[in-house]
Amino acid sequence: MGPSLCLVLGPEVAELQGGTPECVADGSVLGRMAIGHALMEPLFFKNHTLHAACLERAIEWTEDRIQAAHIDVPVGAQLSTRDAQVWALAQASGVTQSDRPILHVDAVEQTFSRLVMQSMGQASPQEALPATARFFATVVFVRELMHHLHFPQIQLLRTPTPTNALH
């Protein structure tokens, strides 16, 4: 098993920190990305509105910021988080409360597909996702982070952290 990394999301910054499997940071920051819901909302999700073209621009913007961070993830690194918004994404993705809840990249991708359908006005009421800019931004960021940094899953830890942990 590789090193443990903690994902901490703030309104304007996301960090990957070195840590323990319990996501207790060891003080090292592997990478810092200039991204967050407070930056994305006025650019792409004004008034908690979701449009397909804005969603596409949000993806490109997010990819650019992840790549600009030049994060070199150690082989086999395990990603964990206590972030409340990632928990909300996991719940929307069908992850159930268990001793070791895990959010898999496939579940994130399915939720993203639902978000795309919602952006085009084609989602059924039972498939509707939370209609907040923070949720939209979290889905986009987590999806792109998992794809570009090759994380197959995120371990969800108890006691979600406040969603404004970083400033």
Side-chain angles (χ1 to χ4, degrees):
M1 181 149 96
S4 295
L5 300 177
C6 301
L7 174 61
V8 180
L9 300 179
E12 296 180 358
V13 176
E15 287 184 349
L16 289 180
Q17 303 172 350
T20 68
E22 295 79 30
C23 207
V24 175
D26 65 9
S28 65
V29 175
L30 180 67
R32 181 174 287 125
M33 295 156 275
I35 194 163
H37 66 87
L39 297 175
M40 293 178 79
E41 182 175 349
L43 295 172
F44 310 111
F45 309 123
K46 292 178 186 170
N47 302 317
H48 305 285
T49 304
L50 182 63
H51 298 287
C54 291
L55 186 58
E56 185 61 35
R57 287 195 312 273
I59 291 165
E60 293 169 7
W61 185 87
T62 301
E63 289 172 338
D64 289 347
R65 272 139 192 84
I66 291 171
Q67 291 171 352
H70 302 289
I71 299 171
D72 188 19
V73 176
V75 174
Q78 305 294 311
L79 186 60
S80 301
T81 192
R82 295 180 184 280
D83 185 81
Q85 289 304 305
V86 179
W87 271 90
L89 167 57
Q91 290 169 336
S93 300
V95 173
T96 59
Q97 296 288 337
S98 67
D99 288 341
R100 295 186 54 85
I102 295 174
L103 178 59
H104 293 276
V105 69
D106 291 341
V108 173
E109 194 60 45
Q110 289 172 2
T111 302
F112 177 77
S113 293
R114 289 170 51 201
L115 192 65
V116 169
M117 296 299 287
Q118 191 168 321
S119 76
M120 297 186 301
Q122 298 175 356
S124 63
Q126 60 268 33
E127 291 288 315
L129 296 166
T132 67
R134 187 174 287 193
F135 184 80
F136 305 153
T138 300
V139 173
V140 170
F141 173 70
V142 170
R143 176 183 184 255
E144 297 308 316
L145 180 81
M146 292 179 85
H147 282 284
H148 290 279
L149 299 183
H150 310 289
F151 289 112
Q153 63 189 33
I154 301 174
Q155 176 72 52
L156 300 161
L157 301 171
R158 304 279 177 223
T159 317
T161 58
T163 56
N164 59 353
L166 295 175
H167 297 283

